[in-house]
Amino acid sequence: MAECSHDCSSCGKSCSDKQKKESFLKEAHKKSSIKKVIAVVSGKGGVGKSLTTSLLASYAHKSGKSVGIMDADITGPSIPKMFGVTERASAEEDGLNTVLTPSGIQLMSMNLLLENENDPVIWRGMMIAGTVQQFWTDVIWRDVDLLFIDMPPGTGDVPLTVFQSIPIAGVVVVTTPQDLVKMVVEKAVKMAAMMDVPVLGLVENMSYLTCPGCGKKIEVFGRSKADGIAAEYGIPAVAKLPIDPKIAELADLGRIEDYDCAALKVSCAPP
């Protein structure tokens, strides 16, 4: 019997090298330059993924990084609204250009491609996932240090497509204090582990309300569970965002970049 030559193309054996997991990673657009990709995830909608993405991106940009945001929530995009961006994306001969926020953050979202931002996108899962993949392969991201991906809720087609086709450096998981949210957030944490993607930090949104009279912290939605989840799963960083009417006001006005997000202390760099 001939010895293995380590040339699998001429080998009929089912050795370990041939059984390595097939890579589904896609190349970014040839004109793109992206150093790191961070996905913002949760197992449930309505917990504040878009807000967290916007604040993280704004904080990183103010810290001197070149930043982009990919809005992967195709049927419920909200990133352009938060940044006050209404300009439609333009196309070059071989790719699609991002749209800049007032401070210079690069954006791509379904709402930047629609004639009317209020028009619904009524597509099946495979088409939605394919569009998100095109936001990676067909969009030109220019000299981006950090690309944040605002993910849709759950662990279905789009999250799976993103994890498999885009080289994610890590994820930030968003939660709120309720027990139900804790359960579905754990699903997102476990999915990241199954996809071999590190969890960089946990953001507990609506963690507390500061009383305007006495300054006491009021846990409106129950006692914080962020530290316990982080300890259980070995998550290195935790941020607790308050219920702050100023955040809601600036988001509604399309001026989320004006918020002072220095208190958001989740590392944007993989360990």
Side-chain angles (χ1 to χ4, degrees):
M1 183 178 294
E3 293 184 3
C4 179
S5 66
H6 299 288
D7 179 7
C8 291
S9 63
S10 61
C11 179
K13 291 187 177 182
S14 181
C15 61
S16 59
D17 285 345
K18 291 191 72 175
Q19 295 175 11
K20 285 181 180 178
K21 184 179 178 180
E22 181 181 356
S23 175
F24 294 97
L25 290 177
K26 301 293 183 182
E27 292 286 340
H29 191 281
K30 62 183 179 181
K31 291 183 179 179
S32 290
S33 175
I34 306 163
K35 292 182 180 177
K36 289 179 183 176
V37 184
I38 307 295
V40 180
V41 307
S42 181
K44 185 180 183 301
V47 297
K49 290 183 300 299
S50 296
L51 174 63
T52 299
T53 302
S54 300
L55 293 176
L56 279 169
S58 298
Y59 180 63
H61 188 63
K62 290 174 183 177
S63 301
K65 301 290 186 181
S66 174
V67 177
I69 301 177
M70 179 193 297
D71 189 351
D73 196 346
I74 301 300
T75 60
S78 56
I79 291 294
K81 174 70 174 177
M82 287 189 174
F83 286 89
V85 173
T86 57
E87 177 187 349
R88 293 188 66 205
S90 62
E92 296 185 8
E93 184 177 348
D94 60 346
L96 196 62
N97 291 312
T98 58
V99 177
L100 298 180
T101 71
S103 73
I105 295 173
Q106 300 177 48
L107 301 184
M108 180 48 62
S109 171
M110 194 66 201
N111 264 13
L112 303 178
L113 304 175
L114 297 173
E115 287 286 348
N116 184 344
E117 66 176 14
N118 294 321
D119 289 342
V121 176
I122 308 174
W123 293 349
R124 295 192 184 276
M126 288 185 64
M127 186 175 290
I128 293 172
T131 299
V132 172
Q133 192 174 88
Q134 286 181 298
F135 281 179
W136 174 254
T137 59
D138 296 2
V139 173
I140 304 170
W141 300 94
R142 303 181 189 277
D143 299 318
V144 171
D145 296 318
L146 285 170
L147 176 63
F148 292 93
I149 302 182
D150 181 21
M151 300 277 273
T155 55
D157 285 340
V158 172
L160 183 60
T161 295
V162 169
F163 281 134
Q164 288 185 327
S165 61
I166 298 175
I168 306 296
V171 301
V172 173
V173 180
V174 184
T175 181
T176 57
Q178 298 98 320
D179 281 331
L180 175 61
V181 176
K182 175 180 180 290
M183 178 188 71
V184 293
V185 162
E186 288 176 335
K187 292 179 183 291
V189 172
K190 290 178 179 178
M191 181 179 185
M194 291 172 67
M195 303 304 296
D196 200 25
V197 177
V199 177
L200 307 179
L202 180 71
V203 175
E204 185 177 72
N205 191 29
M206 297 179 277
S207 185
Y208 60 90
L209 171 68
T210 301
C211 175
C214 66
K216 180 181 177 180
K217 289 184 178 181
I218 304 169
E219 295 177 317
V220 179
F221 295 112
R223 182 167 296 179
S224 172
K225 299 171 180 64
D227 293 323
I229 296 174
E232 182 177 352
Y233 290 99
I235 299 172
V238 174
K240 299 176 183 179
L241 298 185
I243 300 172
D244 186 348
K246 187 64 176 178
I247 297 180
E249 178 187 358
L250 291 174
D252 287 343
L253 292 172
R255 293 170 44 204
I256 195 65
E257 290 172 297
D258 293 345
Y259 186 73
D260 181 10
C261 51
L264 190 62
K265 298 176 181 177
V266 177
S267 174
C268 295

